[in-house]
Amino acid sequence: MYAVVQSGCTGCGLCEQLCPALFTVRNGTAQAVPAELDEVVLPAAAAARDCCPLAAIDFLSD
């Protein structure tokens, strides 16, 4: 499973604050590191997804 940031992202930075291992904000948009979500990063990634004010973060299966 991987995280993706949809085009509606406004770059608020909340995801980067909640899960800096996976998300960065550059040029006004968040970007997700293209890495498998493992049991270490998944809780923080899920918090970032659930707290995104625009619901711009999704998890996709392989």
Side-chain angles (χ1 to χ4, degrees), residues 13-61:
L14 185 58
C15 60
E16 185 176 38
Q17 291 174 14
L18 293 171
C19 188
L22 185 63
F23 297 101
T24 60
V25 176
R26 295 185 185 184
N27 300 322
T29 303
Q31 298 174 354
V33 173
E36 182 76 22
L37 297 176
D38 60 23
E39 63 275 353
V40 174
V41 75
L42 185 58
R49 178 196 61 196
D50 296 344
C51 292
C52 178
L54 297 171
I57 298 171
D58 287 322
F59 294 165
L60 301 178
S61 298

